[in-house]
Amino acid sequence: MAAHQKAVAALLLTLLVLAALPGAPPKRIISLVPNVTEIVYALGAGNRMVGVSSYDTYPPEVTALPKVGALLDPNVERILSLKPDLVVIYGSQQDLKAQLEKAGIGVFSYRHAGLQGITDTIRELGARLDETAAADALAGRIERGLDDVRRRVQGRPRPRTLLVFGHERLSLRGMYVSGGVGFLHDMLGVAGGENVFADVRTESVQATTEQIIARRPDVIVETRASAGAFSPSERDAETRTWNALGSVPAVRNGRIVFLFDDRIVVPGPRIVDGTVALARALHPDAFK
Amino acid sequence: MTLQRRFVRTVAGFGALTIATLLLAPLVGPTSISLRRAFDVSIPFTDNADAQIFFIARLPRTLAGACVGALFASAGVVFQGLLRNPLATPFTLGVSTGAALGAIVAITFNWSIAVAGISAVPVSAFVGSLVAVAIVYALAQARHRGLSTTVLLLAGVTLNAFFSAVILFVQYFASFADTYRTLRWLMGDLDVSSYQPILAALPAAIAALAVFAWLARPLNLLALGPDSAESRGLDVTRAHRAAFLSASLATGAAVSIGGPIGFVGIIIPHLVRLMVGPDHRLVLPAAALFGAAFLVGCDLVARTILAPLELPVGIITAIIGGPFFLWLLIRKR
């Protein structure tokens, strides 16, 4: 082998090794996952964001950023044109992941998990963005905040709770509720409630009328994103809809709560506030 | 055997099956309830969970299944007779897709209007089905004397495709949760949780079934072909109109109660024909009764087989219905 060929081979090898090493922290980030966008901002890396999903609304700064689609319709052309060096995607977006990797762009795959998954994501993302200290501080603050809620409701009777994600308006049909998996189920536990569908090991369950009557929840919490908040008259009308199930303790005792609050339904840095709101609804006395 | 005796025998046989199913279905469920307590009037109704499960959860659900099953099955018979096509279903002519579009718009835009205690989704599903019927009917009338079944079929199939496209367009603006609820609506659901949706659909259902009773003889004549039917004194155009409008009305009413539950409208008519022969005077009542029993039975399986989870009833009708139908085809050949 001629000397210059050896030199070229050595150079290529060096380049390969360099490419495989963890590079400099990303400077241009796109997030297709709204709750991870919140985490990026909470870690103080918001100034590195160059694009967000079409569902992002928080923090308010994101509204000024280019929108690049979402889970089902990521706009690859738009993403590439923004020249990101890290794209946060859903774990299920395998095609997008392959395309981005082929283009040499870093990928952070987000997977939905329980409450623990939020602090895990914060720490992983912190390491990736070279914001380890900020991530540890944020995750620690969340863990302490949740412990604080646990302490406040400790020793109090845990109301059997039905956590409702949605149903047909002015009707109890098409009822989706929290099963025994996922961050909302975990939050309910921290907030001092007992999920009446804890035995169903899925995040979301379609609850039938029979199941709701048979499981006799003490409290019904309807939770959705802030954007769908009801007016007082709508709230009254929806509460009346529940009156059909008079044998359910929550209905009989008027313990139907509407918490339309992004802090509850977005598994991000605001989750402690959300858990407090939930705990306050379940244990008003503990938060006087 | 005279027709009258065969009619009595058919109705008695299928009627007994339907009544047995209707009596059994509310007794069974994922929860075990005490019937004595459920019927104990000394306990106030609002304190009586057993009674509430029986009267608010199971009974309306069973009745909804019976209505929807009877309507889809008999509408299937009429559509097959009208189009003289054994593959026609209540969903062939766009009625159910129109209803689906109505329901999906109501779900996506979160309409919270209620008409006489009926929530927005079933109301707009019914309106959607009427819009689809009006469009198909107008098209089939437009360039022909009378009603062209060919145009009816083509217009219906095209409208199905067009409405499906509009549904996808509306879906594009829906949130994830709404998309999920929409998908679930499309699988069909009989958990009506009150009697209102059934009562609301009842006038349309009764009107349609009354027209079906009149249609039995015209459908027999239409089976010979329109020309032969005409020569035997049938006003073919009138029969076509009555068949199309009544079967569409029945379909719209059924979809507004339970969503587009598949297979009932094609399996049951064929099964019934295999059992009682082609005479519509027997096929129509038998299909209505058997359809009711079949759907209530399928829903019973759907809500108990994976308890505490529930399968969408549309999946059960397809899983039970499809292979059974194929087996029957092979066996009877």
Side-chain angles (χ1 to χ4, degrees):
Chain A
M1 196 183 279
H4 72 273
Q5 277 177 318
K6 273 187 188 162
V8 170
L11 189 65
L12 279 176
L13 200 68
T14 318
L15 281 176
L16 269 175
V17 169
L18 277 178
L21 281 174
K27 298 222 159 27
R28 294 179 65 81
I29 307 168
I30 290 178
S31 166
L32 288 173
V33 188
N35 53 313
V36 181
T37 308
E38 282 194 33
I39 295 175
V40 174
Y41 277 89
L43 294 178
N47 55 352
R48 298 193 233 163
M49 293 291 297
V50 295
V52 289
S53 86
S54 35
Y55 289 102
D56 273 85
T57 54
Y58 191 89
E61 293 97 292
V62 298
T63 50
L65 291 173
K67 307 269 187 249
V68 297
L71 173 63
L72 300 175
D73 58 350
N75 187 336
V76 180
E77 205 175 307
R78 196 91 205 274
I79 293 172
L80 295 178
S81 74
L82 291 168
K83 301 193 185 342
D85 47 15
L86 180 70
V87 182
V88 178
I89 63 169
Y90 289 94
S92 59
Q93 290 176 309
Q94 289 298 325
D95 291 348
L96 179 62
K97 185 175 180 201
Q99 278 173 304
L100 292 172
E101 279 172 350
K102 209 186 290 171
I105 297 169
V107 168
F108 183 89
S109 277
Y110 169 74
R111 277 192 195 280
H112 220 49
L115 208 45
Q116 174 76 42
I118 299 173
T119 43
D120 288 349
T121 302
I122 289 172
R123 291 202 166 95
E124 276 169 43
L125 195 65
R128 195 69 183 268
L129 301 183
D130 200 19
E131 297 284 357
T132 321
D136 277 336
L138 178 61
R141 203 154 63 235
I142 290 174
E143 280 153 0
R144 282 191 304 279
L146 294 175
D147 280 340
D148 191 45
V149 178
R150 277 192 196 97
R151 259 195 306 281
R152 289 190 90 143
V153 299
Q154 202 168 38
R156 291 174 183 271
R158 298 169 72 82
R160 294 171 50 74
T161 306
L162 180 71
L163 194 56
V164 179
F165 299 156
H167 57 86
E168 267 180 32
R169 294 294 294 272
L170 300 177
S171 155
L172 299 178
R173 299 187 71 178
M175 177 82 60
Y176 282 95
V177 305
S178 168
V181 176
F183 75 95
L184 282 154
H185 166 76
D186 295 346
M187 270 169 85
L188 182 57
V190 172
E194 208 65 64
N195 185 354
V196 289
F197 277 96
D199 59 319
V200 181
R201 307 303 295 167
T202 54
E203 274 197 17
S204 161
V205 187
Q206 181 163 27
T208 61
T209 317
E210 172 160 347
Q211 288 169 332
I212 295 170
I213 301 173
R215 287 168 187 250
R216 305 177 60 79
D218 299 314
V219 183
I220 294 168
V221 177
E222 290 215 29
T223 184
R224 328 250 204 289
S226 304
F230 288 154
S231 71
S233 67
E234 283 180 314
R235 189 174 287 205
D236 289 347
E238 294 291 344
T239 307
R240 273 197 301 280
T241 307
W242 281 102
N243 286 349
L245 310 185
S247 71
V248 171
V251 176
R252 204 179 329 148
N253 304 325
R255 294 203 65 188
I256 298 164
V257 190
F258 297 88
L259 294 176
F260 286 28
D261 190 336
D262 285 344
R263 296 174 307 168
I264 295 177
V265 298
V266 177
R270 296 179 285 169
I271 206 67
V272 174
D273 297 342
T275 312
V276 170
L278 192 56
R280 198 184 288 275
L282 298 178
H283 301 280
D285 299 339
F287 291 86
K288 268 184 181 152
Chain B
M1 200 170 7
T2 64
L3 176 80
Q4 204 174 358
R5 282 189 57 191
R6 286 186 64 202
F7 179 82
V8 170
R9 238 183 54 168
T10 306
V11 170
F14 285 104
L17 174 70
T18 309
I19 289 172
T21 318
L22 288 183
L23 287 178
L24 172 72
L27 304 181
V28 189
T31 327
S32 70
I33 61 170
S34 146
L35 278 186
R36 184 176 297 167
R37 212 177 124 78
F39 286 96
D40 187 345
V41 287
S42 68
I43 311 169
F45 184 65
T46 50
D47 295 340
N48 192 339
D50 296 43
Q52 291 220 318
I53 287 178
F54 191 88
F55 289 104
I56 296 180
R58 290 188 191 168
L59 202 54
R61 185 167 181 156
T62 304
L63 293 175
C67 288
V68 172
L71 289 170
F72 277 150
S74 49
V77 172
V78 175
F79 276 123
Q80 285 150 21
L82 164 68
L83 299 172
R84 298 177 65 214
N85 184 337
L87 294 178
T89 76
F91 304 159
T92 305
L93 297 188
V95 185
S96 66
T97 323
L101 178 59
I104 285 160
V105 167
I107 292 173
T108 304
F109 299 105
N110 244 315
W111 285 350
S112 68
I113 40 153
V115 181
I118 319 298
S119 57
V121 176
V123 171
S124 66
F126 189 64
V127 171
S129 72
L130 293 183
V131 169
V133 173
I135 294 174
V136 173
Y137 186 77
L139 288 171
Q141 287 269 87
R143 305 271 302 269
H144 299 267
R145 269 187 314 119
L147 200 66
S148 159
T149 50
T150 315
V151 178
L152 209 55
L153 192 57
L154 290 173
V157 171
T158 313
L159 200 66
N160 254 332
F162 175 71
F163 277 156
S164 302
V166 179
I167 286 174
L168 292 179
F169 182 67
V170 173
Q171 279 300 287
Y172 197 80
F173 299 101
S175 68
F176 283 135
D178 291 340
T179 306
Y180 193 54
R181 279 170 57 209
T182 299
L183 187 67
R184 191 60 181 71
W185 186 87
L186 288 171
M187 294 178 189
D189 170 38
L190 294 169
D191 186 29
V192 287
S193 80
S194 76
Y195 298 93
Q196 258 110 335
I198 306 170
L199 289 175
L202 220 47
I206 290 172
L209 291 176
V211 179
F212 289 174
W214 174 80
L215 272 173
R217 214 184 70 87
L219 286 176
N220 282 346
L221 291 174
L222 282 178
L224 307 168
D227 293 339
S228 307
E230 195 93 59
S231 70
R232 286 168 201 230
L234 178 71
D235 183 343
V236 170
T237 303
R238 199 171 132 212
H240 278 165
R241 278 190 191 136
F244 172 68
L245 292 176
S246 61
S248 299
L249 193 64
T251 306
V255 174
S256 79
I257 300 175
I261 299 169
F263 273 85
V264 183
I266 185 158
I267 300 167
I268 301 300
H270 286 283
L271 276 181
V272 165
R273 280 195 205 96
L274 288 171
M275 288 184 269
V276 305
D279 189 336
H280 284 93
R281 287 169 292 185
L282 300 177
V283 173
L284 273 169
L289 290 168
F290 193 32
F294 176 75
L295 194 56
V296 171
C298 284
D299 191 45
L300 182 61
V301 173
R303 63 196 163 91
T304 48
I305 194 167
L306 284 186
L309 285 179
E310 273 195 51
L311 280 174
V313 68
I315 292 179
I316 297 287
T317 56
I319 286 177
I320 295 181
F324 186 59
F325 181 56
L326 290 178
W327 173 76
L328 235 120
L329 275 179
I330 293 162
R331 198 191 65 125
K332 278 277 172 178
R333 201 157 57 96

